[in-house]
Amino acid sequence: MLLLFVGIITTTNAQIKTPQPSPAAKLEQVVGLTDVTLEYSRPAMRGRTIFGDLVPYGEVWRTGANANTKITFGDNVTVDGQELKKGTYAIYTIPNETSWEIIFYSDSNNWGNPQKWDDSKVAAKTTAQVQEMPMPIESFTLSIDDVKSGSAVLGILWENVYVGVSFEVPTDKITSKSIETVMAGPSGNDYFQAASYYHTEGKDLKQALAWMKKATEGDNPPFWYLRRMSLIQADMGDKAGAIATAKKSLEGAIKAGNKDYEKMNKESIAEWQK
């Protein structure tokens, strides 16, 4: 008997994992009603002199390490009187001994500084004074400080330096709009949607009709609202009321040039008149 042994050689694609010298960090903070997210890498001092040496004065700095340091605002915010639209921005800085320039750059997909700087992508720019820290900060750190209902401060810390940039969020605008909407009560569309659900699901038609009457109050209610109301009236046995409402819907559909609703209303009126 001949035995054939087949050798199987296996290889692995295992990769050695080592810690990154500038580990990634992510900070999420709600300011008022606005979500703010910071994503950045955290280089360490490791015995080096940072500002004025490793990070030269007077030059654009990536503000961290590796890919862009990014900040994302969930709503439009204001920095030093300049509006920043909802979205993500790269944070660049120009450190100096007593003050820094902080730049919010609309292109956040660079690895470090852009190959070609584009001033048209500077969404906002401001200046912050340097505050000396009483102790050394080993790892580069970003923070969201002094959180209030309508504002907060973006903090940048490293070595013995802290700079803070205030930004304002539209909490009052969002809250006031919410209050006005809720206190004004349901909209016509809210009544229409509720009535449509009750009608479609065969629930309380009397309540559905009451909601449709609310939805169709005022001048020139939408013809599709009136169509739904006529169907509810018909299902409740009020053919005369259904015909009168359908005629109003038909008039609106003809005026709007909607052939589908024109056809449906004509057919329903003919059926209910039998």
Side-chain angles (χ1 to χ4, degrees), residues 160-178:
N160 65 337
V161 166
Y162 172 89
V163 293
V165 180
S166 298
F167 62 91
E168 298 174 356
V169 294
T171 305
D172 183 64
K173 181 179 179 181
I174 295 171
T175 303
S176 296
K177 183 176 180 181
S178 176

Side-chain angles (χ1 to χ4, degrees), residues 248-268:
K248 293 178 182 177
S249 177
L250 174 60
E251 182 181 345
I254 292 173
K255 188 178 295 185
N258 191 302
K259 297 297 183 182
D260 290 336
Y261 273 80
E262 182 181 342
K263 181 175 182 294
M264 288 188 292
N265 279 307
K266 286 181 177 178
E267 290 175 350
S268 294

